[in-house]
Amino acid sequence: MRTIGFACTSAEEDLTPFHFDRRNPRANDVVMEILYCGVCHSDLHWARNDWGHTAYPTVPGHEIVGRVIEAGPDVTRHKVGDIVAVGCMVDSCLECDQCRKGDEQYCREGKKQPLGMNGTYGGIDIFDNTPNMGGYSKHLVVRQEFALKVPEGLDIAKAAPLLCAGVTTWSPLRTWQAGPGKHVAVIGLGGLGQMAVKLAVALGAEVTVISRSDKKKQEALALGADRLLASSNEKAMQEAADSFDLIIDTVPVEHDITPYLPLLDIDGTIAMVGQIGPLPPSSSLPLVYGRRRIAGSLIGGIRETQELLDFCARKNILPDTKTIAMQDINAAFAELQKGDSHYRFVIDMSTLKA
Ligand code: NDP
Ligand code: ZN
């Protein structure tokens, strides 16, 4: 089916309107009219070829909320008119050990894909061998298992970022059992960071934001954090030694994490969801003296994402967002690059005219 989106044609060019074909729906596919799409820093990495394997032209976007406008004959989970959501992946084998335990993002077959999973963009359709195109567009065709149910009561104009920023922080918070009595720190108060704070607070943990300066202190406190620690303040960093059970690092540029390691308590974990830089030999000391761990984490599984959506609906948790028109995407990318704000841009797709 013919649709329209905004695509990048090279790492240097702005995103521009782009007409393209979505695959013909298969028996277990739904066709969605996209209503909203969040803007993730990963979209920017991908558009700018930061990971070195972007295939152009490409349509970014993996925080997608929309309405089902067509359902194939084998679709049992959704019906026409339902509000559904799609995150960072659109397919997996559903048969390997990882898929069976609900970690489709680590699917053994998905690992063979360019992105290491069958990405909403960056992925390759396993039947057609065509590149997947993301959510900065009017329509999406997706197999029913990868469309999440958006619970009633969740404001759909704000919910889209839960599909990536939300679940990417929810998954490590759950894996390392953030909750009452646990001290969680979040490095980088951007789109992922603000969700990590809101979710960790809702789970009952004590929460510290670690930011480059104290400029975002009011925002951090308003999100429910107990305090903000400026990483540029050496004295405050020293005083925070041995404080945290879990640190979630969302910084989108390569950086040395050695200064953060002593902040972990014994047996504490730093979960990297952003970019990590080279580790100097001196990083081994705080790791060894404290059995501290550096871990990674990739989005979350489908069941986990549904669990998050239901949790957010129950607790009325939504990201702080700024709604933009599709044609404002290039200005939004420029702002995201600076990392000055903590809110998530969400594109109102009704502004994209065919
Ligand atoms: P944002 O741009 O919204 O936020 C990043 C924050 O990091 C900024 O707000 C800023 O916070 C801090 N920061 C530190 N140094 C810099 C710098 N040089 N430039 C810009 N920001 C800086 O990004 P997102 O939250 O959308 O994404 C964060 C990272 O997580 C990205 O690398 C993204 O690709 C990755 N990601 C990973 C996923 C996974 O599954 N592992 C899924 C989704 C995203 P402050 O001002 O407080 O220091
Ligand atoms: Zn993302």
Side-chain angles (χ1 to χ4, degrees):
M1 64 178 294
R2 201 74 182 151
T3 190
I4 181 173
F6 259 54
C8 7
T9 47
S10 80
E12 292 79 31
E13 306 288 320
D14 276 356
L15 276 74
T16 47
F18 177 64
H19 292 268
F20 65 105
D21 289 314
R22 293 285 185 190
R23 69 165 183 257
N24 289 326
R26 301 176 192 129
N28 66 342
D29 279 342
V30 293
V31 181
M32 287 166 68
E33 177 197 359
I34 299 179
L35 302 174
Y36 296 97
C37 186
V39 179
C40 180
H41 205 112
S42 299
D43 300 348
L44 181 57
H45 288 311
W46 178 250
R48 299 283 179 263
N49 197 23
D50 288 348
W51 301 320
H53 58 261
T54 303
Y56 299 99
T58 183
V59 176
H62 61 201
E63 296 183 335
I64 303 166
V65 169
R67 184 185 292 110
V68 176
I69 55 170
E70 215 181 298
D74 294 350
V75 172
T76 52
R77 293 170 185 232
H78 312 289
K79 56 182 192 314
V80 171
D82 286 357
I83 299 293
V84 295
V86 174
C88 304
M89 56 183 167
V90 285
D91 206 351
S92 77
C93 80
L94 298 182
E95 284 173 2
C96 72
D97 56 338
Q98 298 306 309
C99 285
R100 277 205 305 269
K101 73 179 160 79
D103 275 338
E104 297 89 350
Q105 73 277 32
Y106 303 120
C107 168
R108 306 274 176 194
E109 287 301 312
K111 282 188 177 300
K112 299 173 191 162
Q113 289 263 342
L115 268 190
M117 64 176 172
N118 200 324
T120 305
Y121 56 82
I124 308 284
D125 185 82
I126 54 169
F127 296 103
D128 295 356
N129 225 14
T130 51
N132 297 338
M133 295 289 179
Y136 295 1
S137 64
K138 272 276 181 217
H139 301 96
L140 184 70
V141 179
V142 64
R143 66 182 286 186
Q144 59 166 335
E145 292 89 343
F146 289 81
L148 286 299
K149 292 177 196 297
V150 176
E152 251 178 61
L154 208 56
D155 179 352
I156 62 166
K158 286 180 161 281
L162 299 177
L163 277 297
C164 173
V167 73
T168 300
T169 50
W170 177 252
S171 185
L173 288 169
R174 300 290 282 164
T175 300
W176 287 284
Q177 289 140 20
K182 293 285 176 87
H183 292 197
V184 174
V186 177
I187 310 179
L189 194 60
L192 265 59
Q194 59 135 324
M195 280 315 308
V197 172
K198 288 191 184 202
L199 295 171
V201 169
L203 288 168
E206 192 177 318
V207 181
T208 299
V209 168
I210 305 180
S211 192
R212 289 167 290 177
S213 71
D214 52 19
K215 268 199 303 207
K216 293 183 184 170
K217 184 168 177 187
Q218 287 318 315
E219 285 97 325
L221 299 182
L223 292 167
D226 297 284
R227 67 189 69 79
L228 180 140
L229 170 60
S231 53
S232 49
N233 183 338
E234 270 179 44
K235 185 162 172 276
M237 288 286 279
Q238 270 163 20
E239 284 167 2
D242 303 329
S243 295
F244 305 115
D245 302 292
L246 173 65
I247 299 178
I248 300 182
D249 185 336
T250 75
V251 174
V253 295
E254 287 187 12
H255 61 291
D256 179 14
I257 63 165
T258 315
Y260 302 112
L261 300 178
L263 306 188
L264 288 168
D265 200 3
I266 315 290
D267 279 325
T269 300
I270 181 165
M272 303 303 303
V273 295
Q275 311 269 329
I276 193 170
L279 280 173
S282 60
S283 65
S284 58
L285 268 172
L287 286 177
V288 171
Y289 284 79
R291 203 164 45 196
R292 299 172 171 110
R293 278 178 296 262
I294 302 172
S297 191
L298 176 65
I299 55 168
I302 292 295
R303 196 164 53 223
E304 211 172 18
T305 309
Q306 190 65 59
E307 178 191 67
L308 168 72
L309 290 172
D310 297 343
F311 178 84
C312 289
R314 222 167 42 242
K315 300 260 186 180
N316 199 22
I317 298 173
L318 285 166
D320 290 3
T321 57
K322 187 170 177 180
T323 307
I324 58 167
M326 185 70 253
Q327 60 268 27
D328 296 335
I329 186 61
N330 296 302
F333 268 11
E335 192 176 326
L336 203 58
Q337 184 85 46
K338 291 194 210 130
D340 287 343
S341 46
H342 76 281
Y343 50 73
R344 196 67 148 181
F345 291 107
V346 173
I347 304 161
D348 174 352
M349 218 44 81
S350 68
T351 60
L352 176 58
K353 305 290 176 211

